[in-house]
Amino acid sequence: MLIPTRFVWPHGGKRVYLTGSFTRWSDHIQMSPVEDCPTVFQTVYRLAPGFHQYKFCVDGEWRHDERQPYVAGNYGIVNTVLLTGEPDPMPAMLSPDMTGNRMNMDVDNENFQRVVTLSGALQESVLRSSETDIEISRHRISVFLSAHTAYELLPESGKVIALDVNLPVKQAFHILYEQGIPVAPLWDFYRGQFVGVLSALDFILILRELGNHGSNLTEEELETHTIAAWKGGKQQLRQMGEHGGTFERHLIHAGPYDSLKDVALKILQNEVATVPIIHSTSYDGSFPQLLHLASLSGILKCICRHFRHSSSSLPILQQLICTIPLGTWVPKIAESNGRPLAMLQPDASLSSALALLVQVDSRVSSLPIVDDNDSLLDTYSRSDITALAKDRAYAQIRLDEMSIHQALQLGQDANVPNGLFNGQRCQMCLRSDPLHLVMERLSNPGVRRLIIVEAGSKRVEGIISLSDVFRFLLG
């Protein structure tokens, strides 16, 4: 006995195929768009009673429908269906106006409610087991990070740029822009040691200081104002102790034989993007050598590389990102808890963007730039501010008069059509993506966050950063 079963993919695409255990995962069944509803695809396939697994291939990418019961199997995350009973001789047809409130996989069967109940119980069992999976995975990742050192982060070849603290601020930011780097360690020649870092955040604070009518820093002074002078003034203004006294914040660094776990925790606990790996053969730490700038991206690449061929030892890798406490999400209607997600439109002023990027308690380092429908157009990050160093643009603009659109155009190649919003800068993922896919993308150099978007519309649903992933993995 075979039961006609309708499968529906409602999330758009150009070419959609269905495959599953009922085709031995070898044959692909082409699905057809529903009339007057081109984003919904369907097909009917006759199945024998029993338990079946299936997936969709959408424009060459394997996907599953998170609205349906799913499990982690030999083929990754797969949807499931359990069929019982006799088929209905008069199956109902799917119409476009039903796509919003019908299940995405219809079974023409009088006992379908019983099927849904059984499959739902299976899904609940999977979700209950996920807590155990999380603890097992966290333990194994912790053991791995504790057993490997920062020395393994060092590339076979490369360069690390450091800046002298007596370099003028203006020249320092030109170097950051020309070299395409967001941060550089600072070297004090007279003390013979590394004393701090200069980052894009410093440039943002300087520009805001220039725009402040009560500022003690003028554009003329910026030409000769040294990094040391800026850092000293910043410390007095912003690092006040509990009783009104100042305190010196020491350079956060690590040694080549520190464990990867210790390095990751230093980055997270101090809320910095990178930690310099410094080595000295002297007992007193003199004559230090700057070996590398360690980042969470490099550590994540080590994790992905180590577990790539033994992913079954980390069951959490197959979990969907929407089912685990990860990242910052756009609050749902009538949902008051959770942190709001900051987004801006292209015509918003640059000053409004910078105000959000310097908030200490918000941990915001990048802003999604969206249209009127909250669909993603581009992103504006702290590191984008260095584009204003080009041709001394910072001296010719007012932050409250320049739009984000105009600011981003400064960093775009003039040969790129339309300049802005070419889509290459936006690193995206879907809420239905498994954790291992998100980790692989974040381990790429230069990628610090992924924007979670709705399939098709690119409506922003949330953000996942490298810090989010490590806070989750390390518990």
Side-chain angles (χ1 to χ4, degrees), residues 348-351 388 397-404 406-407 410:
S349 69
L350 181 57
S351 62
L388 295 183
I397 59 104
R398 290 181 57 89
L399 299 180
D400 55 350
E401 294 178 355
M402 171 171 275
S403 69
I404 297 175
Q406 294 169 327
L410 292 175

Side-chain angles (χ1 to χ4, degrees), residues 330-470:
V330 175
K332 296 180 181 178
I333 298 176
E335 191 176 65
S336 58
N337 58 339
R339 193 175 57 191
L341 181 63
M343 296 184 288
L344 291 175
Q345 295 191 346
D347 57 356
S349 69
L350 181 57
S351 62
S352 64
L354 299 185
L356 291 171
L357 292 174
V358 298
Q359 291 181 3
V360 177
D361 58 346
S362 67
R363 295 178 181 170
V364 174
S365 60
S366 182
L367 297 167
I369 310 303
V370 299
D371 62 14
D372 293 335
N373 298 316
D374 288 342
S375 295
L376 184 64
L377 298 173
D378 208 317
T379 59
Y380 192 85
S381 306
R382 285 178 181 172
S383 56
D384 289 318
I385 197 68
T386 57
L388 295 183
K390 182 181 180 181
D391 300 327
R392 297 183 70 250
Y394 59 82
Q396 305 167 30
I397 59 104
R398 290 181 57 89
L399 299 180
D400 55 350
E401 294 178 355
M402 171 171 275
S403 69
I404 297 175
H405 186 137
Q406 294 169 327
L408 282 171
Q409 280 184 318
L410 292 175
Q412 294 288 324
D413 187 344
N415 297 323
V416 175
N418 302 324
L420 186 59
F421 309 148
N422 55 25
Q424 297 177 357
R425 291 163 32 89
C426 302
Q427 303 293 329
M428 297 173 284
C429 67
L430 302 176
R431 63 186 296 118
S432 58
D433 284 340
L435 178 60
H436 75 84
L437 181 60
V438 169
M439 290 171 58
E440 288 284 355
R441 291 176 181 172
L442 283 172
S443 67
N444 292 323
V447 180
R448 294 190 58 190
R449 66 198 62 81
L450 297 179
I451 311 296
I452 309 166
V453 298
E454 182 182 59
S457 69
K458 288 188 179 180
R459 186 189 301 271
V460 174
E461 296 187 320
I463 293 181
I464 295 179
S465 68
L466 279 164
S467 298
D468 292 331
V469 170
F470 273 86

Side-chain angles (χ1 to χ4, degrees), residues 97-306:
D97 59 339
M98 297 168 64
T99 58
N101 53 24
R102 283 290 299 273
M103 300 291 285
N104 296 330
M105 193 284 304
D106 295 332
V107 179
D108 303 315
N109 191 313
E110 292 179 358
N111 296 316
F112 179 62
Q113 186 61 46
R114 188 150 50 96
V115 174
V116 173
T117 302
L118 290 171
S119 297
L122 176 63
Q123 185 177 11
E124 290 179 7
S125 175
V126 172
L127 293 178
R128 282 197 301 270
S129 67
S130 65
E131 293 185 6
T132 302
D133 292 344
I134 290 175
E135 293 307 315
I136 292 174
S137 300
R138 281 175 172 170
H139 173 71
R140 289 173 177 167
I141 288 175
S142 178
V143 169
F144 167 75
L145 293 178
S146 299
H148 292 75
T149 67
Y151 188 83
E152 298 177 45
L153 298 175
L154 273 60
E156 293 183 0
S157 63
K159 64 178 180 180
V160 182
I161 296 176
L163 303 176
D164 192 286
V165 291
N166 292 313
L167 197 68
V169 169
K170 169 198 168 185
Q171 188 175 348
F173 284 110
H174 272 287
I175 294 174
L176 292 185
Y177 172 74
E178 293 295 336
Q179 296 296 324
I181 54 176
V183 61
L186 299 176
W187 171 257
D188 189 325
F189 176 78
Y190 297 104
R191 296 168 62 178
Q193 62 185 27
F194 293 96
V195 294
V197 295
L198 187 73
S199 69
L201 179 59
D202 287 301
F203 197 20
I204 294 176
L205 295 174
I206 287 176
L207 292 181
R208 284 167 57 86
E209 180 75 6
L210 284 173
N212 182 3
H213 295 295
S215 171
N216 294 320
L217 181 63
T218 65
E219 292 180 13
E220 291 76 15
E221 290 174 331
L222 185 62
E223 302 292 323
T224 57
H225 204 66
T226 65
I227 299 173
W230 159 250
K231 286 289 187 178
K234 176 185 172 185
Q235 177 177 304
Q236 292 179 7
L237 292 172
R238 306 193 67 206
Q239 298 184 347
M240 298 299 296
E242 188 174 328
H243 301 290
T246 62
F247 66 91
E248 182 178 358
R249 181 174 179 177
H250 297 284
L251 171 66
I252 308 300
H253 68 281
Y257 302 110
D258 289 353
S259 73
L260 292 180
K261 184 175 181 179
D262 288 341
V263 176
L265 289 175
K266 281 186 177 182
I267 293 175
L268 293 176
Q269 293 168 356
N270 293 280
E271 297 184 1
V272 294
T274 59
V275 166
I277 304 299
I278 299 175
H279 178 60
S280 175
T281 56
S282 303
Y283 179 78
D284 59 357
S286 57
F287 306 105
Q289 297 179 353
L290 177 61
L291 304 180
H292 185 60
L293 291 181
S295 66
L296 294 179
S297 175
I299 300 175
L300 187 60
K301 182 173 285 294
C302 289
I303 295 175
C304 293
R305 183 170 57 241
H306 179 78

